[in-house]
Amino acid sequence: MQLIIDLPSREVSLATHRRRWSEVVADSRWYNCRERIETNALGQIIMTPPPAEWHSDRQGQLVYQLQHRLGGRAKPECPVVTSDGVKAVDVGWYSEARHPIVSGQLACEVAPDICVEVLSPSNTDSEIQNKFRLYFEAGAVECWICDLEGGMIYYANDDVERAAESSTLCPQFPKVIR
C-alpha cells in the first residue's frame, strides 16, 4: 500500500514553514525540552527522544572531519525547511559559497550541500530515503548515512536508491567514523 500526500509548492511551503518555525522557536515551552523538535507538512510538532551519547559523539566527529577536510560551515542538528516541514539534519555542511544564503535564517531555506543522517536502531530505510528525497528537493548536493557501526554511505545526484562508492564533494572522507 502506498500513501500519497499532495504537498504545496516549495514557495508556499517556505512561507508556511518560515512562519510556523518562528512560532515554535519563540515558544518558551520548548526552551528546556530535551527531545528533538521537527514539524510536518501541516506545521504540527513532531518530537523524538534525544540521541544517545554515541550518536552525539559521531555528530561531533562528522562536524570535525567536514570542517577539517572542506572548510565551510558544518552544523549539527541543522534545521532545514522541506516540503514536509522543518527537519533537523544530524549534520549539515555548507560551502563558503552557499552559507551566506542561509546565514541568519531560523531554519535553513536551502539545504546544506551535504546532509548527513546518523542512524539510530529505530530508523528504517524508507524513513531515511524519504528524508533524503526532501533534502535533495530543498537543494542538497549529497546525502550521507553514518550507519550503526560508523560506516559511511554516500548518495548523490538525487538518487536515493543507489549508494556511491565515495563522496564527490569530499572523496577523502573517512570510510568509518569512530
Side-chain angles (χ1 to χ4, degrees):
M1 182 160 129
Q2 185 177 25
L3 172 65
I4 298 174
I5 301 172
D6 189 19
L7 298 173
S9 71
R10 176 105 177 116
E11 295 75 27
V12 171
S13 289
L14 283 174
T16 301
H17 297 306
R18 183 184 306 122
R19 184 181 69 256
R20 179 62 177 131
W21 196 248
S22 68
E23 294 169 356
V24 171
V25 170
D27 190 333
S28 62
R29 290 179 294 174
W30 310 121
Y31 288 176
N32 294 317
C33 181
R34 294 190 64 228
E35 291 82 6
R36 176 188 287 196
I37 296 174
E38 297 179 326
T39 60
N40 65 13
L42 302 174
Q44 297 166 320
I45 292 175
I46 299 169
M47 296 173 64
T48 55
E53 181 280 331
W54 57 265
H55 189 280
S56 179
D57 187 65
R58 287 200 179 129
Q59 283 179 285
Q61 289 300 316
L62 287 160
V63 166
Y64 170 78
Q65 291 292 338
L66 285 164
Q67 290 280 169
H68 176 71
R69 295 173 187 282
L70 295 175
R73 300 286 182 99
K75 300 173 181 254
E77 302 294 326
C78 183
V80 175
V81 179
T82 74
S83 58
D84 189 28
V86 176
K87 305 302 177 198
V89 178
D90 285 331
V91 176
W93 176 81
Y94 284 95
S95 64
E96 290 293 343
R98 185 179 281 206
H99 186 260
I101 297 169
V102 300
S103 183
Q105 295 178 346
L106 287 178
C108 301
E109 296 179 12
V110 174
D113 300 71
I114 299 172
C115 295
V116 187
E117 289 295 324
V118 178
L119 291 188
S120 296
S122 62
N123 290 126
T124 65
D125 288 343
S126 62
E127 172 190 4
I128 297 301
Q129 286 180 349
N130 186 52
K131 280 188 172 187
F132 285 3
R133 283 184 185 97
L134 293 169
Y135 299 157
F136 282 129
E137 177 188 51
V141 178
E142 294 185 2
C143 291
W144 302 356
I145 292 173
C146 181
D147 69 20
L148 294 173
E149 290 77 41
M152 298 303 299
I153 305 166
Y154 309 98
Y155 295 86
N157 300 323
D158 201 6
D159 187 353
V160 297
E161 304 294 328
R162 188 171 25 109
E165 290 295 317
S166 65
S167 165
T168 302
L169 296 175
C170 190
Q172 72 278 25
F173 199 84
K175 299 290 183 204
V176 177
I177 295 294
R178 300 267 182 230

